[in-house]
Amino acid sequence: MDIGIIGAGNIGGNLTRSLTALGHRVRVANSRGPETLTDLAEETGATPVPAGEAARGAELVVVTVPQKRVPDLPADVLDALPDGAVVVDTGNYYPRERDGRIDGIEDGTPETVWTARHLDPRGRLRWVKAFNGIQAEHLITAARQPGDMERRALPVAGDDAEAKATVIALLDQMGFDGVDAGSLAESWRQQPGTPVYGAEAGVDGIVAALAAAPRERPTEFTA
């Protein structure tokens, strides 16, 4: 696939490493400019680009930036995508550690819904929440072949079944099982502080953790 990655921090960097190793063509961007991504490009073969060009020609885009930086992205950052393209959001809201108070999220809007409203106000793209509850290094070190007893599962939430299936298939290539975590409206079940967040478990464990999630955001993840 042709994949764009917006954000080259810990998650974005290791997604770049994993996906290029699988043969996917990756265009990667950060807030500081493509010249700062030379080492990652040389290591992986990914193409460093300005943020506004990451989506150009992409079949799927991953947005992996701090929650508070979403409004700072160019307003047209996803305009190059055709209607119905898949966008994966890995974002987490950390009001006390990093992001400060974001009223829309504090009012109960799931993080990815909030992000989609900022970057896709016309609602023409298919959004999926994934990769938000796994440590960045585990994207590389925890990958296992199908059937391995230690193979982990990760939750995948979204409103479009086909979009979720695309991401679950990508997870399978990367060495993980995907679990359908429901709609974007239900994606609070995998936000920070929930039982599934950071869980190192197989499919059954992830299903149980999603079901056990309390609706109220944990106090340590509120402003």
Side-chain angles (χ1 to χ4, degrees), residues 59-82:
E59 299 167 73
L60 178 147
V61 167
V62 180
V63 177
T64 177
V65 300
Q67 199 81 45
K68 67 178 180 180
R69 298 299 181 197
V70 169
D72 297 336
L73 290 171
D76 61 352
V77 70
L78 299 177
D79 282 5
L81 290 174

Side-chain angles (χ1 to χ4, degrees), residues 15 20 44 52 57 61 71-72 95-96 98 123 139 148 175 180-181 187 199 204 213 218 221-222:
L15 283 174
T20 53
T44 64
V61 167
D72 297 336
R96 301 188 183 190
R98 183 190 65 194
L139 289 169
D148 191 307
D180 189 330
S187 61
D204 290 346
F221 293 102
T222 59

Side-chain angles (χ1 to χ4, degrees), residues 7-222:
N10 293 334
I11 292 290
N14 276 352
L15 283 174
T16 299
R17 293 179 178 93
S18 177
L19 294 171
T20 53
L22 291 167
H24 297 288
R25 296 170 295 278
V26 174
R27 293 161 66 88
V28 60
N30 66 6
S31 61
R32 295 177 294 150
E35 67 278 1
T36 66
L37 295 171
T38 301
D39 289 347
L40 182 62
E42 291 179 351
E43 176 190 348
T44 64
T47 301
V49 295
E53 295 183 17
R56 194 173 307 281
E59 299 167 73
L60 178 147
V61 167
V62 180
V63 177
T64 177
V65 300
Q67 199 81 45
K68 67 178 180 180
R69 298 299 181 197
V70 169
D72 297 336
L73 290 171
D76 61 352
V77 70
L78 299 177
D79 282 5
L81 290 174
D83 290 354
V86 178
V87 180
V88 179
D89 172 48
T90 77
N92 291 311
Y93 175 48
Y94 302 118
R96 301 188 183 190
E97 298 176 19
R98 183 190 65 194
D99 298 317
R101 181 182 177 87
I102 298 176
D103 288 339
I105 297 178
E106 291 286 343
D107 291 345
T109 300
E111 296 156 352
T112 297
V113 174
W114 183 88
T115 296
R117 288 175 180 170
H118 276 275
L119 301 183
D120 180 28
R122 290 181 289 162
R124 62 184 193 85
L125 305 172
R126 296 182 292 170
W127 286 79
V128 174
K129 187 177 187 74
F131 300 115
N132 73 296
I134 182 172
Q135 294 183 39
E137 61 269 27
H138 290 176
L139 289 169
I140 307 297
T141 62
R144 298 289 187 274
Q145 293 296 317
D148 191 307
M149 295 297 292
E150 294 185 357
R151 182 163 158 118
R152 288 170 57 178
L154 301 176
V156 177
D159 294 336
D160 185 273
E162 184 179 34
K164 286 188 284 190
T166 296
V167 176
I168 288 171
L170 202 60
L171 278 170
D172 180 56
Q173 292 179 23
M174 294 173 64
F176 301 91
D177 290 324
V179 172
D180 189 330
S183 67
L184 287 182
E186 296 176 281
S187 61
W188 55 267
R189 293 182 180 275
Q190 64 194 76
Q191 292 178 169
T194 60
V196 81
Y197 181 77
E200 300 180 15
V203 171
D204 290 346
I206 296 302
V207 169
L210 287 166
R215 183 62 183 92
E216 185 175 353
R217 182 180 291 274
T219 302
E220 62 268 31
F221 293 102
T222 59

